[in-house]
Amino acid sequence: MTPRTGHSAPLDETDRRLVQELRADGRLSMRALAERLHISRASAYSRVERLHRDGVITGYTAVVDPERYGFGISAYVYLKISQHSWKAVRQRVLEIPEVWHGALVSGDYDLVLLVRTADAHSLRDLVLSKLQTMPDVTSSHTVLILDELPAEQDGRPAHQPKF
């Protein structure tokens, strides 16, 4: 949950295609990236460096299948927190490895967390022992995820949904 600051960086069509290619395969070499975009390796390298420096590209990661990785249960946990406690709660939430994503949202709840645990017992412990007992958390609501759409790449599903 990285706070977003500043303005969007100026991007041309080549920058957007470069980001699209790296989102599809973050392990591409500069040579392969340059070939796909029909630009020089030097240009590909300097563009990637600029996109890193400008905060457009913030890192690279492996996309894993949660079930195969050992997380049999996934859920959204909605939290209501005390007024003006966002930064303190955010810091505590960042320390919980079962939290895969979080967002400060508008509406009836203040935070939405995507959590993944090994089993129902672990989910119960996470919600009751770690989240609900946090200072400034006033209530929670947990929704189990029964099935998920596939991870997206470039705004499109990576493969067909399971259902």
Side-chain angles (χ1 to χ4, degrees):
M1 298 185 312
T2 304
R4 297 171 197 264
T5 58
H7 300 43
S8 55
L11 304 175
D12 63 16
E13 185 57 32
T14 302
D15 291 333
R16 292 184 188 285
R17 287 182 35 231
L18 185 146
V19 170
Q20 180 179 355
E21 291 292 337
L22 288 175
R23 286 189 67 208
D25 183 358
R27 295 172 35 145
L28 278 177
S29 67
M30 285 299 153
R31 170 185 243 150
L33 186 59
E35 287 174 4
R36 289 183 184 191
L37 297 177
H38 305 291
I39 60 175
S40 70
R41 278 191 300 182
S43 179
Y45 182 79
S46 66
R47 284 175 179 268
V48 168
E49 286 299 309
R50 180 178 46 80
L51 292 168
H52 274 282
R53 187 179 59 250
D54 292 349
V56 175
I57 296 174
T58 59
Y60 300 89
T61 187
V63 179
V64 299
D65 181 306
E67 286 184 52
R68 291 179 186 226
Y69 192 67
F71 294 111
I73 297 224
S74 297
Y76 288 109
V77 180
Y78 297 83
L79 299 177
K80 285 187 183 181
I81 61 174
S82 302
Q83 194 170 13
H84 305 295
S85 65
W86 158 241
K87 288 182 181 178
V89 173
R90 178 186 184 276
Q91 194 57 44
R92 287 185 201 99
V93 167
L94 284 170
E95 296 170 4
I96 301 173
E98 296 91 350
V99 176
W100 281 41
H101 177 78
L104 179 66
V105 297
S106 63
D108 292 335
Y109 290 90
D110 302 302
L111 294 173
V112 178
L113 306 176
L114 169 60
V115 301
R116 300 188 192 279
T117 63
D119 52 34
H121 179 78
S122 301
L123 178 61
R124 183 191 71 217
D125 286 347
L126 171 66
V127 173
L128 298 179
S129 300
K130 291 183 181 177
L131 296 173
Q132 287 184 351
T133 61
M134 263 187 207
D136 299 315
V137 171
T138 60
S139 68
S140 71
H141 178 79
T142 303
V143 177
L144 292 178
I145 297 173
L146 303 176
D147 200 356
E148 296 183 65
L149 296 174
E152 66 177 50
Q153 293 180 3
D154 307 321
R156 298 179 313 242
H159 52 77
Q160 294 299 315
K162 297 180 209 174
F163 54 94

